[in-house]
Amino acid sequence: MGETIVSADRILVAGAGGFIGGHLAASLLAMGKRVRAVDRKPLAEWYQLFPDAENLVLDLRLRENAYQAVNGCDEVYNLAADMGGMGFIEHNKALCMLSVLINTHLLLASKDIGIRRYFYSSSACVYNGEKQTDPDNPGLKESDAYPALAEDGYGWEKLFSERMCRHFMEDFGLIARVARFHNVYGPHGTYDGGREKAPAAICRKVIEAEITGKHDIVIWGDGKQTRSFMYIDDCIRGVFEIMASDIIEPINLGSAEMVSIDRLVDIVEEIAGIELRRTYDLDAPKGVRGRNSDNALIRHYLGWEPSIPLREGLEKTYRWIKGEMLRTSEG
């Protein structure tokens, strides 16, 4: 498959101060696009900040801010949400649900202003929990979202917002594309503070063991729960491919390389060159038992699927987090 073409020139990236949004803005700027980057966090807290973009601090849960953000743009990429790893979403269900205001107001503004195309970042958390009780998960097909039994709070908001996109297409003709992200990781993201996801959290814990010499690690759950993890470069390519496609239904965007959390720790230990004593916290938030991405549909539509090996992506992520942690400790 050749290089992805983004036809629009003026593009809104909502959630640009976040992990995926920052990488998306960087890629669009590298293509020579005019990017309006919006996030509610102060600019000093954005993971990546680019002087070539129009950077605005706006809370998109407010309708007037959504219209201000969309006005003058051709395409919208909505990656804005109040979210984090399991430790965050299990204890902040109402905050996660309130992200519905962001997508609702951005859709209304896009309809009224005449946006060409709209991208919504959904999540594998929309999938029926009863299909995720076995660590040997064969892969979640797009149809497995129904009958609905999504992750409480965060997953239900994502599933509802998917339906909003569908109905804005059906009723108003807005071209909307929806991707269900499966555990995206990489540099320039959260690795501490409570919102981090498993790859970044485990990298941080292993680096802490390296720095302190205390070779112990606490793992949430029994270590046998399984996931697939998609490196950020695959995610960004997939977003562009899906946005440019004719795919009208929500589609998986994730790696099919499923590993246990114990295996994830193994890989990071191998990268660091150390071995840690493991303690398992069975009372910690741990999510579903097994989750993997069935990529048959994306291969059918695009002839492509995320394929960057976990080991390769984790090495880059580990090096970046270690550099940040050493820089912070020296500072």
Side-chain angles (χ1 to χ4, degrees):
M1 178 174 287
E3 185 178 345
T4 305
I5 301 299
V6 176
S7 59
D9 183 48
R10 301 168 301 174
I11 297 170
L12 168 65
V13 178
F19 164 48
I20 302 174
H23 282 275
L24 185 69
S27 295
L28 289 166
L29 288 167
M31 295 177 191
K33 304 300 179 182
R34 289 186 286 169
V35 174
R36 177 174 292 156
V38 175
D39 205 287
R40 71 173 183 172
K41 295 188 293 291
L43 293 177
E45 296 178 16
W46 289 27
Y47 295 121
Q48 297 186 75
L49 183 63
F50 304 101
D52 292 344
E54 179 189 0
N55 300 300
L56 301 179
V57 177
L58 295 171
D59 185 346
L60 296 173
R61 293 174 301 181
L62 303 177
R63 179 180 172 130
E64 60 271 24
N65 287 350
Y67 276 78
Q68 179 185 342
V70 171
N71 191 37
C73 293
D74 303 314
E75 289 188 351
V76 171
Y77 290 82
N78 179 15
L79 294 96
D82 209 344
M83 59 85 66
M86 285 309 304
F88 180 81
I89 66 176
E90 281 201 7
H91 295 118
N92 296 277
K93 295 184 177 71
L95 285 178
C96 290
M97 292 292 285
L98 284 170
S99 294
V100 72
L101 295 171
I102 300 171
N103 194 54
T104 302
H105 292 144
L106 285 175
L107 282 170
L108 283 167
S110 297
K111 173 184 76 74
D112 291 346
I113 289 167
I115 287 296
R116 291 185 202 163
R117 283 184 177 242
Y118 184 97
F119 178 85
Y120 178 67
S121 58
S122 186
S123 165
C125 288
V126 303
Y127 284 115
N128 188 314
E130 292 180 351
K131 296 181 181 290
Q132 301 173 78
T133 58
D134 186 347
D136 295 323
N137 192 295
L140 294 160
K141 302 185 298 294
E142 284 76 3
S143 58
D144 288 334
Y146 296 94
L149 188 60
E151 183 83 42
D152 203 10
Y154 178 71
W156 278 104
E157 187 278 322
K158 289 293 186 185
L159 194 61
F160 177 83
S161 291
E162 286 187 4
R163 303 294 284 198
M164 286 281 284
C165 291
R166 170 180 165 177
H167 297 313
F168 268 69
M169 277 197 292
E170 293 170 342
D171 294 358
F172 305 123
L174 175 65
I175 297 174
R177 299 291 177 257
V178 176
R180 292 173 178 163
F181 291 171
H182 287 248
N183 294 306
V184 189
Y185 73 99
H188 299 289
T190 306
Y191 59 88
D192 62 5
R195 290 180 184 256
E196 67 275 17
K197 294 188 176 183
I202 289 169
C203 284
R204 185 199 75 239
K205 290 178 180 181
V206 172
I207 293 162
E208 286 170 347
E210 266 194 288
I211 292 171
T212 64
K214 298 176 182 176
H215 288 191
D216 297 285
I217 187 170
V218 177
I219 296 171
W220 288 7
D222 63 4
K224 295 179 174 58
Q225 64 270 39
T226 54
R227 298 290 187 275
S228 68
F229 300 96
M230 172 174 54
Y231 189 62
I232 184 64
D233 291 1
D234 270 338
C235 178
I236 297 303
R237 175 175 174 179
V239 167
F240 289 144
E241 298 283 2
I242 291 165
M243 182 65 144
S245 75
D246 295 324
I247 304 169
I248 61 171
E249 69 264 44
I251 190 165
N252 280 336
L253 184 55
S255 168
E257 182 187 353
M258 186 174 71
V259 296
S260 68
I261 299 302
D262 265 336
R263 179 57 190 149
L264 186 63
V265 177
D266 290 344
I267 296 170
V268 180
E269 285 179 335
E270 291 164 10
I271 292 167
I274 62 174
E275 190 171 334
L276 307 181
R277 293 177 293 272
R278 303 182 186 189
T279 302
Y280 296 92
D281 184 354
L282 302 182
D283 295 323
K286 46 194 172 287
V288 296
R289 194 69 179 145
R291 175 181 292 157
N292 195 18
S293 180
D294 184 315
N295 287 346
L297 199 59
I298 195 168
R299 287 196 305 269
H300 168 73
Y301 279 123
L302 301 179
W304 172 86
E305 66 180 307
S307 59
I308 295 171
L310 180 59
R311 170 67 185 249
E312 179 183 325
L314 278 174
E315 285 207 37
K316 295 176 182 177
T317 306
Y318 178 89
R319 303 297 174 205
W320 180 82
I321 293 175
K322 186 174 182 179
E324 290 295 295
M325 290 177 67
L326 290 174
R327 186 172 57 82
T328 301
S329 65
E330 288 166 2

